[in-house]
Amino acid sequence: MGNVAVFTLGGTIAMTAAPGGGGVVPALGAADLIAAVPGLADSGISLDVTDFRRLPGAGLGFADLVALTHAAGDKDVDGVVVTQGTDTIEETAFALDLLWTNEMPLVVTGAMRNPTMAGADGPANLLAAARVAASPAARGLGCLVVLGDEIHAARWVRKTHTISPAAFRSPDTGPVGLVAEGRARILNRPFRHDVGRLDPTVRNPRTAVLPVVLGDDGETLRRAGDGLDGLVVAAFGVGHVPAATVDTLTEIAARIPTVLASRIGAGPVLTHTYGYPGAEADLLSRGLIPAGALDPYKARVLLHLLLASGRDRASIIDAFATTA
Ligand code: ASP
């Protein structure tokens, strides 16, 4: 039961064979997606559908997400479902979570198998997402990601496999709930960042994630860092870089907010365990900002939105200090 607004943005869930061959492309609109879901018409959920974008996940940007939060926030419904390409869900959902100030849940879903394939997962994911969006249990939880009948917090979820229908995982926490027998069950209340209201229209910053790699001498960082307003370094392990990159990172961190995250994909960066040049304690003493348990891509989303909102360095440090 309930009223749900559905915004379709494209992605595999909306892809079908292009005329003349050459692979699938985002071609299906909101009405096509809804019509393909067995059980949705009988679910008692009434839908208000909007064809918002028809793009692959990689084609989406922050401007689309800001426009989406405005359009979705204006709807007088119990919850919102967003369908999009899975390639960027781990970033878009976190951005939406940071931007979303409504009590009604915003639920992102997609599909790993396109509608032309046996066992296409889009219809089941869309039905489960609609059930979560309509559920009173999901109110106040911000942006959730629903695939494979699992409910994940935007803050923790990652795409962990290129093709598996079970690609979405929250390595640090597990899912916050599941959909069973048509009902959304929340098992854990997700942690949400409180970074205050964001207005990412103030600036158009250039931000990047740059990994350190074996034998790195810092030259790639130095060249790339020159053109940036903010940088996330994807470091080894708990936040370590080769000693040869330390001077370059010190210079970059003196000029722009430079966040230290881990390449690993689960677990936090540490702050005061290792003491050698290039270890986390050394880098933090040189002005880098610890990402906590945010992975590099989510750390970059947060950094980008803070810079785009005109936040100063102190406010950026505070925002990262609230990360788990
Ligand atoms: N390439 C697709 C996209 O992100 C993948 C997907 O939707 O699963 O648009």
Side-chain angles (χ1 to χ4, degrees), residues 28 97 114 124 130 190 243 277 287:
L28 304 177
D97 194 47
N114 73 62

Side-chain angles (χ1 to χ4, degrees), residues 215-231:
D216 209 322
D217 64 1
E219 188 53 22
T220 306
L221 285 165
R222 189 186 63 71
R223 291 187 198 191
D226 278 349
L228 295 175
D229 302 305
L231 168 65

Side-chain angles (χ1 to χ4, degrees), residues 229-315:
D229 302 305
L231 168 65
V232 175
V233 182
F236 299 123
V238 297
H240 298 163
V241 300
T245 67
V246 169
D247 286 347
T248 302
L249 284 172
T250 307
E251 283 161 28
I252 296 174
R255 197 169 47 76
I256 57 172
T258 303
V259 175
L260 180 66
S262 173
R263 306 190 329 180
I264 301 286
V269 286
L270 296 181
T271 57
H272 57 272
T273 296
Y274 293 88
Y276 55 84
E280 81 287 350
D282 177 43
L283 295 172
L284 300 186
S285 77
R286 295 167 181 271
L288 277 79
I289 302 165
L294 283 179
D295 72 42
Y297 304 111
K298 292 197 197 281
R300 182 261 169 178
V301 165
L302 176 58
L303 180 62
H304 189 94
L305 288 174
L306 291 166
L307 286 168
S309 302
R311 298 287 188 86
D312 63 15
R313 186 179 181 89
S315 167

Side-chain angles (χ1 to χ4, degrees), residues 10-13 15 55-58 84-88 111-112 159:
T12 291
I13 193 170
M15 293 200 191
L55 293 168
Q84 68 151 93
T86 59
D87 288 352
T88 50
M112 294 299 295
K159 185 175 183 179

